[in-house]
Amino acid sequence: MGTRAGGRRTGPKCIAIVGPFASGKTTLLEAILARTGSIPRQNPVSSGNTVSDHSPEARAHAMSVEATIATAEFMGEQITFVDCPGSIEFSFEAEPVLAACDLAVVVAEADEKKIPALQLIMRKLDDLGVPRILFLNKVDKAIAGVRDTLKMLQPASAVPLLLRQIPLRKDGVVIGSIDLALERAYIYREYAESEVAQIPGDDKARELEARFSMLETLADHDDHLMEQLLEEIEPPKDAIFDDLAADLRDGAVTPVLIGTAEKGNGVLRLLKAIRHDAPDIEATRKRLGAPDGAATLVQVMKTIHTPHGGKLSVSRVLSGQVVDGSELWLPGGDTAKVSGIYRMLGKDQSKLTIAKAGDTVALGKLDEVKTGQTLSSAKGGAKQLFQFEPPQPVFAFALRPKERKDEVKMSAAIQRLAEEDPSLSLRHNQDSAETVLSGHGEMHLRVVRERLEGKNQIPVEGHAPAVPYRETIRKPAQQRGRHKKQSGGHGQFGDVVIEIKPLPRGSGFQFTDTITGGVVPKTYIQSVETGVRDYLKSGPLGFPVVDVAVNLSDGSYHAVDSSDMAFQMAARLAMKEGMAACSPVLLEPVMKVEIVTPSDATSKIIALIPQRRGQILGYDARPDWPGWDVVEATMPQAEIGDLIIELRSATAGVASYRAVFDHMAELTGRLADEAMNTDGKAA
């Protein structure tokens, strides 16, 4: 024992700070930067003056809305911290960061309501294979004991939560911590290094019990340690630290450190654990499957558009080195030239001349580079090391500039925002002529709108996207349409008789002809179909018509005055008059919805579905997700627009859903009248 971890890993490290919303991630980053001397003092989040609060949107909503990068020096080593947003609406920011980082610090607290959010984070770390330390924050405010808290949090983690410290209390107040590996007490001092002390006699028994529990867990992965425990032999401290580092790097355990970030308590011990135990860039390269060789490899973690410096690609240098002016190959064979290398401290940048393996830097003006891409100095580029797909959007609004002159400007601004946040999607709805912006929640899109209006100075208007209603018919009809016009010279003449009948739902449109004797020449039959199809774009209720069959059965023509246009007009006239007699009815799209929710909120979700005209198909436990359920239902698309707001409200912000089109259903009565008044032409 004592050689499993292979010693401390030196070199630059990249650490992601993740955790549920309002768990204290930004406060922890601020405390780390103050403790390392990167900033002169620790600013409280409430001041709106922290390193992470560099955007007006973050200050306005008192929450992180994008990842913040800050590089610090600690005990002669360079560590870059990336503070990732905690809200599920902005959680996609973390994925490309986590792929390229060495370790994640998961900030959590003794709050049972946040366990589902913690589970989402832990599951993502498992999927990406990222080792993690859990920093149990706000221990001074916790009512439950720390070991009871770990029992409460354990269901969120697939691997054991390994307690490395226990709180030291005096008169019921947390005054410090006891390190179970060092067997040493630390007395907290606000915003300063803790004072080392002997473990008080009254706490010795509690410390021994917690320490033995820690060693038992470590022994699950170390036979020699197991033998020592069975023989009641005290293992050497250096061997214990070796096991702690090895099990962390292997992902076998999640070590738990405690503190109160707001007061700077426990931060130094966390930094020392990161410095000693965290894996290095070599382990991260291996996890990503990076090829061996001398080529420079760069993984892009985030894209930023700055007001004056242009586009910056925040990147991890996986191997080799990057110098200003380096030419890097993109996936697909294009190249991009680096114009500026910067070290980041929030919104502040300091210029570098070179970035080496392990460094996390911002590379300037790589205009064609996207978040998540792998860049290489090898000709032709390297294989993409990290593939990610944004989750399906759950909220959308139709967007337009208040002034038409800003349309091109708005389009360019949204394109830049989508580069910074690939989870945004933009599409043009041809039916409604709307530009529809989609994202992961109401707050997500609110921030986008605020950036358009603030950062880009483009006043915009937004509203719920139009529902793609359709209309069909319930009964058949026959109708003649005649278009005749004489104005001197050649006139216009077209005469058709058409039969209109309904088709089964989902059949679309069919056109046939049963013309005999050439009463409508073949030359004009196609013109009739064109006229019919043109009319079907907007039926008597004001919506596209579906599931109808039209047969051209009779008609007449004039040898001189008939024309392609005349027969199109005749067909449209016949359709206009005939469709009114076919008992038109409105159709609305119905979606199949799959909702994922914590089990304790399932009853609430089931109750709200009928309130939105939904039908429950069933629910079951979510496979491989303890404490989660999947609820399946059908629901009209018109009811889904703001569904996510209600789902998140019922589940402490963690529920989500996927929706796919299922079928069209008739809509009548008051709801149909409202739909036609809003979107159609009929009242």
Side-chain angles (χ1 to χ4, degrees):
M1 192 170 68
T3 59
R4 290 180 59 217
R8 182 171 68 83
R9 300 290 191 258
T10 59
K13 293 183 174 65
C14 182
I15 311 297
I17 302 177
V18 295
F21 173 67
S23 56
K25 300 177 297 300
T26 298
T27 303
L28 178 61
L29 175 61
E30 195 77 3
I32 287 171
L33 297 178
R35 186 55 51 87
T36 58
S38 301
I39 58 176
R41 65 182 179 279
Q42 179 178 342
N43 293 303
V45 171
S46 58
S47 71
N49 195 33
T50 65
V51 169
S52 290
D53 289 331
H54 54 80
S55 75
E57 298 80 28
R59 292 193 294 271
H61 301 294
M63 62 186 295
S64 296
V65 297
E66 61 185 327
T68 299
I69 300 93
T71 299
E73 297 282 341
F74 179 67
M75 296 181 70
E77 294 194 10
Q78 178 183 301
I79 307 175
T80 298
F81 295 92
V82 186
D83 175 19
C84 300
S87 167
I88 192 172
E89 299 194 22
F90 301 95
S91 61
F92 183 73
E93 279 266 322
E95 287 204 33
V97 171
L98 290 170
C101 74
D102 302 318
L103 177 82
V105 173
V106 182
V107 184
E109 58 185 304
D111 186 344
E112 192 171 14
K113 294 178 182 178
K114 293 184 178 180
I115 291 177
L118 180 62
Q119 189 175 6
L120 290 174
I121 293 163
M122 292 296 208
R123 186 60 175 251
K124 180 57 64 178
L125 295 173
D126 288 338
D127 292 344
L128 296 173
V130 179
R132 78 295 310 246
I133 291 174
L134 190 143
F135 182 75
L136 187 58
N137 195 21
K138 308 177 187 178
V139 292
D140 58 332
K141 298 177 182 177
I143 298 173
V146 69
R147 281 184 284 180
D148 289 337
T149 298
L150 252 62
K151 289 179 183 177
M152 178 180 71
L153 299 179
Q154 183 60 65
S157 176
V159 299
L161 299 177
L162 180 69
L163 192 61
R164 278 195 58 170
Q165 298 171 324
I166 58 174
L168 185 62
R169 290 184 170 88
K170 183 177 181 180
D171 299 328
V173 177
V174 176
I175 63 167
S177 67
I178 299 173
D179 190 296
L180 301 177
L182 284 170
E183 293 191 286
R184 189 179 297 164
Y186 293 88
I187 310 300
Y188 291 149
R189 295 186 298 172
E190 284 196 20
Y191 311 116
E193 186 173 343
S194 298
E195 178 184 337
V196 180
Q198 293 296 317
I199 299 172
D202 294 344
D203 293 290
K204 191 63 181 175
R206 188 167 62 93
E207 181 269 335
L208 288 173
E209 181 185 354
R211 185 171 190 271
F212 186 77
S213 177
M214 178 188 75
L215 295 176
E216 277 188 314
T217 301
L218 292 175
D220 290 340
H221 310 283
D222 189 327
D223 293 339
H224 186 57
L225 176 58
M226 180 65 76
E227 292 174 9
Q228 289 180 317
L229 294 182
L230 292 173
E231 296 172 10
E232 298 184 354
I233 298 173
E234 176 64 24
K237 285 186 174 61
D238 63 342
I240 294 172
F241 276 108
D242 183 74
D243 272 353
L244 285 166
D247 288 350
L248 165 67
R249 295 171 192 170
D250 292 343
V253 300
T254 298
V256 178
L257 303 177
I258 66 173
T260 299
E262 188 177 19
K263 299 176 181 177
N265 295 336
V267 172
L268 186 60
R269 300 310 310 163
L270 173 64
L271 282 167
K272 288 187 174 180
I274 290 170
R275 181 176 182 268
H276 184 272
D277 297 346
D280 59 1
I281 191 62
E282 183 178 347
T284 301
R285 276 200 304 269
K286 184 177 180 181
R287 173 167 58 81
L288 287 171
D292 294 329
T296 296
L297 279 180
V298 172
Q299 185 66 31
V300 183
M301 305 162 71
K302 180 175 171 59
T303 300
I304 302 171
H305 284 277
T306 64
H308 306 295
K311 180 177 176 179
L312 295 177
S313 300
V314 179
S315 308
R316 187 87 194 275
V317 182
L318 300 179
S319 61
Q321 64 182 29
V322 179
V323 297
D324 201 357
S326 293
E327 191 173 75
L328 297 174
W329 289 81
L330 283 66
D334 293 331
T335 61
K337 187 175 182 180
V338 176
S339 180
I341 305 172
Y342 306 93
R343 181 170 293 169
M344 305 288 290
L345 184 64
K347 66 178 179 180
D348 298 325
Q349 306 149 21
S350 55
K351 194 158 187 178
L352 304 173
T353 57
I354 188 170
K356 298 181 179 179
D359 286 342
T360 304
V361 294
L363 304 178
K365 299 183 180 179
L366 300 178
D367 292 336
E368 303 303 318
V369 170
K370 298 178 181 178
T371 298
Q373 287 186 328
T374 305
L375 313 181
S376 175
S377 63
K379 187 174 181 180
K383 72 169 185 176
Q384 191 77 359
L385 296 180
F386 173 60
Q387 302 287 344
F388 67 94
E389 288 189 13
Q392 186 186 59
V394 294
F395 193 78
F397 60 61
L399 198 65
R400 66 176 176 227
K402 289 184 179 180
E403 298 184 28
R404 292 196 63 178
K405 66 181 179 64
D406 287 334
E407 285 183 355
V408 174
K409 187 178 176 183
M410 185 188 80
S411 178
I414 291 177
Q415 185 176 353
R416 289 193 297 271
L417 291 173
E419 278 193 84
E420 294 181 331
D421 180 1
S423 66
L424 284 174
S425 64
L426 188 71
R427 63 182 175 86
H428 183 72
N429 187 329
Q430 291 187 340
D431 286 346
S432 61
E434 292 176 331
T435 298
V436 179
L437 188 66
S438 302
H440 303 295
E442 188 269 340
M443 180 60 74
H444 186 204
L445 295 192
R446 185 191 298 181
V447 167
V448 172
R449 183 170 175 174
E450 289 170 356
R451 286 178 172 167
L452 285 172
E453 296 189 325
K455 182 178 179 180
N456 295 279
Q457 298 293 301
I458 306 171
V460 295
E461 297 174 331
H463 58 86
V467 176
Y469 293 107
R470 296 292 184 263
E471 58 181 274
T472 191
I473 56 175
R474 286 174 169 164
K475 63 182 185 181
Q478 179 174 293
Q479 182 66 44
R480 177 180 291 276
R482 175 175 288 185
H483 176 68
K484 183 177 181 181
K485 190 173 183 181
Q486 191 70 41
S487 57
H490 285 303
Q492 297 180 35
F493 183 85
D495 177 34
V496 299
V497 177
I498 58 172
E499 299 164 345
I500 310 169
K501 65 179 182 179
L503 290 176
R505 195 78 66 242
S507 299
F509 168 66
Q510 295 177 8
F511 180 83
T512 56
D513 78 272
T514 52
I515 294 297
T516 59
V519 292
V520 176
K522 289 184 178 181
T523 308
Y524 298 131
I525 291 176
Q526 180 64 48
S527 305
V528 175
E529 181 178 352
T530 300
V532 170
R533 287 184 179 274
D534 186 60
Y535 173 82
L536 293 178
K537 293 176 183 178
S538 180
L541 304 182
F543 298 93
V545 181
V546 295
D547 302 335
V548 297
V550 175
N551 179 64
L552 173 62
S553 61
D554 201 359
S556 61
Y557 75 103
H558 189 280
V560 175
D561 292 342
S562 288
S563 66
D564 170 79
M565 184 56 66
F567 272 96
Q568 286 189 39
M569 292 295 296
R572 283 198 288 266
L573 286 170
M575 287 296 295
K576 182 177 180 180
E577 295 177 14
M579 282 289 292
C582 290
S583 187
V585 62
L586 195 65
L587 296 177
E588 68 172 343
V590 177
M591 314 296 282
K592 185 174 182 181
V593 183
E594 184 181 272
I595 301 168
V596 291
T597 173
S599 301
D600 59 6
T602 300
S603 59
K604 297 180 186 177
I605 303 303
I606 289 174
L608 70 83
I609 289 172
Q611 298 170 14
R612 291 176 174 265
R613 299 191 288 131
Q615 292 188 331
I616 298 166
L617 302 178
Y619 70 95
D620 205 347
R622 190 179 185 186
D624 301 322
W625 279 77
W628 286 71
D629 288 335
V630 178
V631 180
E632 293 187 344
T634 56
M635 187 179 294
Q637 184 175 335
E639 301 288 344
I640 290 179
D642 61 352
L643 172 65
I644 193 63
I645 297 175
E646 197 166 1
L647 292 179
R648 298 242 167 99
S649 176
T651 60
V654 296
S656 194
Y657 74 86
R658 293 181 60 85
V660 295
F661 174 77
D662 192 70
H663 65 278
M664 300 295 287
E666 288 189 10
L667 182 66
T668 58
R670 177 182 58 82
L671 292 174
D673 292 340
E674 290 177 359
M676 287 186 286
N677 281 325
T678 302
D679 299 303
K681 297 175 183 176

